[in-house]
Amino acid sequence: MTIKAPRYSDTVVTIADIINCLEQKVQLSQHSIATSGVVVGDIGNVVTGILIALDITEALLEEAVEKGCNFIIVHQPIFVEPLAQIIPESYAGRCVIKAIQHALTIYVFSSNLDHLGRGTSHRMANLIELQQTRPIMPHKVMLYRLTTFVPPHATKPLMQALCQVGALLATQNLTGVAACAADARLEFAQESQLAFIVPMPCKEQIIQTLLHVHPYEKVTYHLEQVEVIVNSTGSGLLGTLPIELPAKYFLKYIKTKLTLAHLQHTNHFDRPIKNVAVYAGSGGWLLKEVLHKKIDAFITTGLQYEQFLEANGKTLLIDIGYHATRLGLKRLILALLSKEFNNIVILRCKTITNPVHHIND
């Protein structure tokens, strides 16, 4: 069930409101939570403007100040480990000091948005014309299943009340229960067995509503946690090329289609390339899944030397660099926020933040 975020067209918006909206829409996975969050700043401040970037640099912070944006959303963390010192002699220290001096809040948003169905992996898959796409790693959602019993006359009011606070009716069955009459004879009364799907954020409100609306003084219910695999969404994409290509020509094909100046790859092998996986981010954590599914080629970035050794001869492993995989990410975040916050200035940065350059002879 999708829980709609409130719209903020005519109200004062704080940085916390922006963050809550993003995280509610995207529902960060455990893989993303470790690298996402506020790096510096006060989330209680009222937003004067939002600047969306891929990386934090001093030049980017200056652009934010010039444009009156006090909230910066970036994809790449400034530092991987906590800083022992915040001093101007280090790149991260200078950025933190400048952000504090100008009351800027920096938020790292490392999710690649694939599970929304329009992430940068989808952009890459479209550019190389992959067909019959599906996620490499399907999205898993933790939910609750709520089961309760109610007399038939109270079934409809209870269903309406629970659905209004976020529950989704799963099943409804009519059952018979034994009851002891006044003269000690057993009689059978009918009850409806109702089962609901309960999103985790709504659990407490749904239980309180159940206890309040249910006609019995003592309410019997069962709540169990379930994991649901959503095969239509997830991390990365698998698909097939329109035609098979020899590995050598496939590398030239993706270099042209993705407008790449540089890429790294494992050795060529004899079999043609037909089944291809793409992941717009550090895809090393998906490598075992790709090898298990015997994919012909895997396009990603952030790979370690040992992973090239592991994949060599099994799949054509291709690292196209961080910048190439993240193209289009700023536009996607802008589109997410613009629908909810139409009274705030939201900009994509103009500063070129990519620090990696290659010599092309």
Side-chain angles (χ1 to χ4, degrees), residues 112-322:
N112 67 6
L113 307 182
D114 280 356
H115 79 267
L116 294 180
R118 54 183 185 276
T120 42
S121 294
H122 295 78
R123 174 185 173 275
M124 290 168 57
N126 290 335
L127 287 174
I128 64 175
E129 302 178 35
L130 288 187
Q131 301 172 349
Q132 300 175 332
T133 57
R134 60 197 184 280
I136 300 174
M137 188 75 74
H139 186 52
K140 296 179 181 179
V141 180
M142 296 306 299
L143 301 169
Y144 290 95
R145 181 181 178 88
L146 171 67
T147 305
T148 189
F149 296 86
V150 64
H153 73 273
T155 298
K156 187 174 180 180
L158 182 66
M159 288 167 48
Q160 291 175 339
L162 294 185
C163 289
Q164 284 176 356
V165 292
L168 182 67
L169 181 66
T171 60
Q172 177 182 358
N173 298 306
L174 198 63
T175 62
V177 294
C180 187
D183 56 1
R185 291 178 302 169
L186 283 178
E187 295 183 354
F188 286 89
Q190 285 190 324
E191 281 187 332
S192 291
Q193 178 183 344
L194 302 178
F196 297 88
I197 298 300
V198 176
M200 292 187 73
C202 305
K203 184 186 73 169
E204 295 303 325
Q205 187 177 7
I206 289 172
I207 295 300
Q208 291 302 317
T209 302
L210 170 67
L211 298 176
H212 178 71
V213 176
H214 202 289
Y216 294 164
E217 183 176 343
K218 185 176 181 180
V219 181
T220 301
Y221 68 91
H222 176 66
L223 191 68
E224 62 176 331
Q225 195 172 41
V226 293
E227 184 179 78
V228 178
I229 297 177
V230 186
N231 288 312
S232 60
T233 64
S235 298
L237 285 177
L238 300 172
T240 57
L241 293 172
I243 58 171
E244 292 183 346
L245 290 173
K248 180 173 67 174
Y249 293 108
F250 174 71
L251 290 170
K252 293 180 180 179
Y253 173 78
I254 64 167
K255 192 173 181 181
T256 300
K257 289 289 187 178
L258 300 179
T259 321
L260 303 173
H262 175 83
L263 56 81
Q264 301 178 82
H265 60 85
T266 50
N267 290 332
H268 301 163
F269 44 72
D270 294 336
R271 73 171 185 266
I273 305 298
K274 180 67 173 179
N275 299 311
V276 179
V278 297
Y279 180 73
S282 297
W285 68 285
L286 287 169
L287 180 57
K288 290 189 183 298
E289 187 72 16
V290 169
L291 294 178
H292 174 71
K293 293 181 176 178
K294 298 181 179 179
I295 303 301
D296 298 325
F298 181 30
I299 305 168
T300 186
T301 191
L303 297 170
Q304 302 297 317
Y305 183 78
E306 293 77 10
Q307 291 171 326
F308 280 97
L309 289 173
E310 182 183 0
N312 202 26
K314 301 175 184 176
T315 187
L316 183 58
L317 189 58
I318 305 165
D319 190 324
I320 64 174
Y322 278 105

